[in-house]
Amino acid sequence: MTDPILRAVHVEKTFAPPQHGGAGVQAVRSVDLEVQRGEFVALTGSSGSGKSTLLHMLGGITRPTAGSVWLEGVDLAALDDAKLAVLRRRRIGFVFQRYNLLPELSLEENVALPLVLDGVAGTAASAAARVALEKVGMAHRASHSPDALSGGEQQRGAIARALVAAPALVLADEPTGALDSVNSRLVVELLHRLVEEQGQTVVLVTHDPGIAAAAGRAIRMADGRIVSDIVRAESRVAAGSPTP
Amino acid sequence: MIFESFRLRHLLLRQWRNRPGRALATALSVAVAVGAVVATWVSADASRIGYRRLTEALDGTPSIDISARAGGRFDVGKLPKLADISGVRAVVPLFFRPTLLRVGEKRVREIAVGVDAQTLAETGLLKLTSGTACVGPDETVLGAALAEGLGKSVGDEVLFFARRGVRRLTVTGIADPASLRWFADGAGVVVDIQALEQMSNALGLVDRVRVALEPNASRPDVLEAAGQRLPETLVAEIPAGRASMAEDVLHSADLGLDFVTGLTVAMAWFIVGNAMLMNVTERRRSLSLVRVLGASAGQIRGFITIEAALLGTLGALVGAGLGLAAARPISAGISRALQAPFSEMVVEPLIVPLAVLMGTLVAIAAAWWPAREAAQIDPLEGLSQAPAPANNQVSWRLLGAAFALWAFAALMLLLVLAERVPPRAAVPAGIAMLLSFVALTPLILPLLARGCACLVPRRFALEGRLALEQILRQPVRTALTTGVLVVAVSNGIGLGHAIRDNVDDVLGWYARMMRADWFLTHAGMVATGQAHAQGSLEAEADLRELSGIARIEVIGIAMGKVAGGAGVIVARDMPDDAPLPLAPVGMEESAVRAALARGEAVAGTVLARRAGIKAGDDVSVEVFGRKTSVRVAALVVDYTSGGASLVMRRDTAKRLFGLESADVLLVTAAEGQADALRAALEKIADRRGMLLRSAVDVRKFIDGIVGGVVGSLWAILGLGFAVGSLGVANTVTMNVLEKKHTIGLLRAVGMTSRQVTAMVVLESLLLGASGAIIGLVSGLVTALFIQWASQPLLGHPIRASFRPSVVVANLLAAVVVTGLAAWLPARRAATIDLLEAVSAE
Ligand SMILES: Nc1ncnc2c1ncn2[C@@H]1O[C@H](COP(=O)(O)OP(=O)(O)O)[C@@H](O)[C@H]1O
Ligand SMILES: [Mg+2]
């Protein structure tokens, strides 16, 4: 087996108790996880089971209280804040449930953001953004403000941004949570294409059993732990047909 | 509506408890605004008190004079009652006559002044360094200089030569020179007025009646009130003999203080308005949820209003305390700068309640608009959970408002220039003009901010871009914040220029007029008759015998009437080898010199304005009872007696009026001899009873006044900048808090915390730079405005100059202030918890 692109070793996250008493929350308890390059992982579980928290730790948005996360052989704990930021902009793409785009910028500028942050010249960055928007079928709305886009269009824009820097890993937290079924299908379709055509790795949090079933690997969490981890031989049994 | 809103009080308390920072920031903004008003007000009062003490020290108690319109003495019985006019402290009839004093072999020509010495002493207007006031026909009080010259003290006797023979007078007291100067106009012997009238066969007649004013009375008001009561034959005037160079500096500074105070109030409005606006916009989503749950629009409005009232009152109370605390060191510093003793900070009793009331009312008023906005929030906005839409409509009404304000300002200025309204009316007009610039801010700002953003270094291009978007997205908030900076900067630049130009004008005049190494003056300065002539001519003769002197210029000063009104006649040498000691308005120096040589005169601009004299007019002039017509060749900038002077050559004055006294002797030493002359000059001064001062002393004295005035203004302006920086900090912090999600997202997609810091700092700097540029323009206009407005006061246009140092200092202050203001919000932004930000709320 090749080196995993992503490796989590005994990661735990305990949220400190609030100041005015009460117990702390153990959101993630000792999770071990390896994700191979090109895998499409669906992360499921009931609300509050720790999916988002785990995803945030995998993406370097928050640090585990115990254990370690390795991305492409690099221990995230060894990186300082600035290096972590650079890593996020180059190697990871994020798609959140909503508020993905900055209302201050046009769609194209939003997509180009990781490149611009990385010092890529304006014209090159916007050319790349165009290409990415092309892939998600949103090129015709490039100059629009996010306020003018529908939820599904916004999410497609967010996916374009997640892949513009050709990151190794795309992390998506319920990207279809706020979408109708048609748009959900479109978005999931796009994520699958990333894996197939570009060899990227996707970890996707979802409540939707249909989407989970279409993933190459489905991990179920409960109470902060991984309770099942199923790798399917042949992926995309029912690609793009999430149940409503 | 309000009562229904009370049902929401739990929500209010809950919101405060959940976000104490926001409620606190809002209350604190009100506190800062109210504090600024209180501190500025109290400091301005401290400055005014300091100025007044300074003027009093120079000029004595402020007063007006009543004299006969036709000149000469008048019957005091014709004088109506004046004591009950508000602002009048005492009514003092004065009777003057020349006399001769004999002590042993010494004979001294002197002027005697007849007053009711005892009453005068009781009201504190006559101060005695020793002894008591004179009563009855056989007693006298001597001026300290004269007493020393005669070698007499309390209990001694002097022989007094009057028309009815010689009298033996007992010296009962020695007068303090400053208090003597106030009423005696150069006389050195004080005698009871009835006794002196009797000696002169003039019982019941007086030369003039001097009316002393309360310290805070308005001289123009009293003048007006007295003028209405006087019969045709009498006239009320400002005493001509007041040496008021300092008063002129102080006058423009006083106007400046009014201006600063008014602007601080305006600035406070902006700050409070902005705080209220932000306090509501930040909660749009939760308010819309409350609407979803069934609150009526009226309830929301009431909710916001109640909150504004509570936070406003709290903030105003805290602010009044802060303001008083801040005013103490500032007032003390100002008093020190003005060399006035700082005893107790004077707080007008109404200031604090007024300021608190203002804070509360302004808070409620400022909340009105956002309350209406909040009431109109679409309930769907909360459900859709989209970020609040940007508020992008900048009303063209603003443009209309700007023009209206501008028109008002221009109209007022014209009225002031035409002297239809008093110069003080220029203050609200100036503030209106400045506000017109602030009203234009939302329209100009996008352009300016874009322009400034182009200057951002390429490495910060993205941060600059985002900062710019942030600024443009909240035009109202941005404009209000910039408004605060615009006010601070234009305040600094406008006043800095105006005050400096005024001061320079006065100093320039002084340097022209008093160019010499040494000055010999009579204590009284102003001749009332020919009595002075003798002694001063002797002093001049003494001087002419000294060696080591390059030039002696003699100035004689006499009170008289010019074109029927009071005026000061200045007769001075104008040597051909020295530059003309005058600054003619609109005429060549050589032409003026030639005209003066022909026996013509020049008029000070204030006199010319008051008496309606134009260059080329023939005016009637009366001095020492001699009346003749003199041609006025030109108008000159002059501050002698506040510019109410008619200047001519000494030979002309002697020919026309027999005026040949030497009241001021300017001595220019030969190369390198200035110090060597001191001993000889001191001897002459002693012998002739004159006062010797060196150019260095005089310069130091004047620099002291000027420095104090300028320093006190800067202190108050500095306060404006401090408040401005708090305003910027508040706005940028609110922007950051509101943009938590955006910043979190930026961090998630790879922005480093240093880049976030740069973005916030840039946002602040762009605000600062834009505000500074608008402030620069409006400040320069303000400076011109103040100068135009003070023209009627001074009678001549003051040369307006562009002062890069003032501009640079203010712009630098604006940049530093906004840079510092960004510090806290930048830190806040850089440490925003990524997780908290990206998790859907
Ligand atoms: N910032 C936080 N502070 C305290 N507890 C948190 C925080 N974020 C998440 N939690 C808790 O951690 C647990 C897991 O949350 P999360 O990872 O968001 O679950 P999921 O995404 O699976 O719904 C929940 O019990 C949640 O309340
Ligand atoms: Mg979640």
Side-chain angles (χ1 to χ4, degrees), chain B residues 769-785:
Chain B
S770 308
I773 291 172
I774 301 177
L776 170 64
V777 176
S778 82
L780 290 176
V781 177
T782 306
L784 279 178
F785 195 94

Side-chain angles (χ1 to χ4, degrees), chain A residues 46-53 55-56 97 173-174 205 207, chain B residues 839-840:
Chain A
S46 57
S47 183
S49 57
K51 308 180 295 290
S52 296
T53 307
L55 202 73
H56 292 151
Q97 184 170 0
D173 193 351
E174 301 191 41
V205 173
H207 277 303
Chain B
S839 312

